[in-house]
Amino acid sequence: PTATASGHTAGKYDYTYVITAVGVDEITESSASSPTTANGNLLETGGIVTIAWNGTNTSSYPIVRYNVYKLQGGLFGYIGSVANPGFGTNNTSIIDDNILPDLSKTPPYWETDILNSTNNYPQAVSYHEQRRAFAGTNNDPQKIWFTKSGTESNMSYSLPINDDDRIAFKVAAREANTILHIVPLTELLLLTSSAEWRVTSVNTDALTPTSISVRPQSYVGSS
């Protein structure tokens, strides 16, 4: 993207922005673009910053809209969305006339270095509460990952953490035994060779990154 400041008599402040693309499921969002900065003065009457970019789209990866984020206090906060005009290359832009960024909605951060190489492939996979669950890798035998709610493979998260972000945690146990099975019942069960664990939520009805609880149920073990 490019950012152009106008409508001011003298530039006093730097304004920095990034763009993300949103897929047709309205859940999957790309990582942020490279940042772009303009020097202007949005506190002056008539001062604006125009953020522009060339939107791209294909039938394989359809984009329905773009989200725009503005830097404030070290975080990029949401300031608006622009619908994608269609397939191909489209000139797209948004005007910031001193919009206050919403820091409760930030660009997603993607975990790209998990479950994708030798000794990092999961041997236990299942579904629970509209999330896909993975566990039992050789390098992290007691760790379990849940995708972003409502997705098959989205491992993104936000700052601050949102309830629908991906979940990742490690079972703290006396013995380091690999998670062999994930059993989705009313509550989720994790079966290892020496113990069974129950995964529940604390103070909420659904599993979230900040409400998860793991408790042992027995020490029989599974094959």
Side-chain angles (χ1 to χ4, degrees):
T2 60
T4 305
S6 60
H8 58 270
T9 56
K12 293 185 177 181
Y13 309 103
D14 286 336
Y15 302 96
T16 303
Y17 307 86
V18 294
I19 313 296
T20 65
V22 180
V24 291
D25 60 1
E26 292 288 350
I27 297 176
T28 303
E29 185 176 1
S30 74
S31 56
S33 67
S34 298
T36 182
T37 302
N39 183 263
N41 188 359
L42 295 179
L43 300 179
E44 183 178 333
T45 301
I48 63 171
V49 175
T50 302
I51 307 99
W53 62 95
N54 288 327
T56 60
N57 210 347
T58 68
S59 57
S60 300
Y61 301 98
I63 298 168
V64 295
R65 58 187 169 87
Y66 298 92
N67 288 344
V68 183
Y69 299 86
K70 180 180 178 180
L71 183 65
Q72 179 175 296
L75 289 176
F76 284 97
Y78 174 81
I79 64 169
S81 296
V82 177
N84 188 24
F87 293 137
T89 300
N90 310 280
N91 294 322
T92 317
S93 64
I94 192 172
I95 292 176
D96 177 16
D97 55 359
N98 202 23
I99 301 172
L100 183 66
D102 180 5
L103 295 179
S104 67
K105 179 175 174 55
T106 62
Y109 298 86
W110 282 77
E111 285 200 62
T112 58
D113 57 348
I114 58 173
L115 310 174
N116 62 355
S117 60
T118 302
N119 292 321
N120 289 308
Y121 297 125
Q123 61 177 302
V125 182
S126 190
Y127 291 88
H128 187 64
E129 293 187 358
Q130 296 293 73
R131 298 177 186 266
R132 198 175 182 188
F134 305 88
T137 68
N138 289 341
N139 285 339
D140 286 299
Q142 290 184 288
K143 192 168 183 178
I144 183 169
W145 295 263
F146 292 88
T147 63
K148 186 178 179 71
S149 183
T151 69
E152 287 280 326
S153 57
N154 188 329
M155 288 290 187
S156 65
Y157 61 95
S158 306
L159 293 176
I161 294 292
N162 293 324
D163 286 348
D164 65 344
D165 285 344
R166 71 96 177 92
I167 301 172
F169 69 92
K170 184 175 292 185
V171 177
R174 295 179 302 173
E175 298 179 2
N177 291 301
T178 302
I179 297 173
L180 302 175
H181 306 284
I182 304 172
V183 184
L185 303 175
T186 304
E187 293 171 343
L188 193 71
L189 298 182
L190 304 179
L191 309 183
T192 73
S193 59
S194 66
E196 295 73 49
W197 301 81
R198 180 168 60 103
V199 179
T200 60
S201 58
V202 179
N203 300 324
T204 63
D205 293 330
L207 291 180
T208 71
T210 57
S211 71
I212 201 160
S213 173
V214 184
R215 297 176 179 173
Q217 296 303 290
S218 75
Y219 293 95
V220 177
S222 302
S223 64

